[in-house]
Amino acid sequence: FEYRIPKETMSTLCIDFGTANTTAGVYLDKHYVDELPTNDILNKNIKLNKINYVTFPDGEWDFSVIYPTMVYISDCRNPEKVKFLFGHDARRKLEENDYIVSGTLFYGLKRWVHEHEKEERVIDEFGNIRMIKRKDIIRAYLKYIIARAEYLFKCKFKRIHASSPVRLK
């Protein structure tokens, strides 16, 4: 058992923020952090001198590099701590409830990039209603993607590149 505080890396995490799906990856070499996570390298969870893709839990045992660009509002009682479900978790919630959900579900967040200051009216599972800025929903989604990458690759990313079409910038 090893306990380490993640070190910053100069490697760039690239996020393909798509309308329907999102993918993220990073090229990792032997210098990406000072102390390499040897267990993850031996287990082939991290491959040196290659592009490493962020994998997301897709079911109980499966993982996917494609992550649905969708957000479900689970609980918005506290405006400072809105609880979201992202990607596969949001999709699973939809499937569990026979595609009838009591909270607000968003698709196509990428289309919001050019109007990120606009507010959306959301309802959570408990019937609470709140106005939330689009940029806060996008931020929460992207922070989840980044946190997942940092967890998998055992580092803190300082450099992040997120793709977006020129007409939406």
Side-chain angles (χ1 to χ4, degrees):
F1 179 76
E2 277 184 71
Y3 176 79
R4 295 185 193 174
I5 296 173
K7 302 283 185 190
E8 286 186 351
T9 183
M10 294 309 288
S11 298
T12 303
L13 176 65
C14 297
I15 302 171
D16 180 13
F17 181 48
T19 305
N21 296 300
T22 296
T23 285
V26 61
Y27 180 85
L28 299 176
D29 63 18
K30 64 181 180 180
H31 303 293
Y32 90 96
V33 287
D34 294 337
E35 294 180 51
L36 293 172
T38 51
N39 288 343
D40 287 297
I41 293 169
L42 289 172
N43 294 333
K44 299 195 188 308
N45 295 332
I46 294 176
K47 298 171 186 89
L48 295 180
N49 302 316
K50 292 188 177 188
I51 297 172
N52 289 258
Y53 293 97
V54 179
T55 57
F56 302 93
D58 178 17
E60 198 168 319
W61 298 103
D62 296 326
F63 290 88
S64 164
V65 295
I66 305 292
Y67 197 62
T69 308
M70 59 191 318
V71 176
Y72 176 75
I73 308 300
S74 179
D75 186 351
C76 67
R77 286 178 279 196
N78 182 348
E80 302 301 316
K81 293 183 181 180
V82 176
K83 293 182 183 169
F84 302 98
L85 293 178
F86 304 111
H88 297 303
D89 293 329
R91 181 186 45 83
R92 243 186 321 280
K93 182 73 163 179
L94 194 61
E95 290 169 355
E96 286 171 4
N97 295 327
D98 294 324
Y99 296 90
I100 300 169
V101 290
S102 51
T104 303
L105 180 67
F106 293 110
Y107 298 93
L109 306 177
K110 181 177 176 177
R111 294 187 186 113
W112 291 354
V113 171
H114 68 290
E115 291 183 321
H116 61 275
E117 289 294 332
K118 192 173 176 184
E119 290 189 332
E120 293 291 328
R121 181 180 180 268
V122 299
I123 302 171
D124 67 11
E125 295 177 348
F126 309 102
N128 299 304
I129 300 171
R130 184 135 349 259
M131 297 299 286
I132 301 177
K133 285 191 176 188
R134 288 177 169 182
K135 70 179 181 181
D136 294 332
I137 297 169
I138 294 170
R139 178 185 297 126
Y141 179 81
L142 291 175
K143 281 179 101 173
Y144 174 79
I145 301 290
I146 294 164
R148 179 74 184 158
E150 290 177 342
Y151 168 78
L152 288 173
F153 305 130
K154 314 296 189 264
C155 62
K156 288 281 193 192
F157 289 100
K158 286 184 73 168
R159 296 178 177 178
I160 297 170
H161 170 81
S163 66
S164 181
V166 173
R167 70 174 201 265
L168 292 179
K169 287 187 178 178

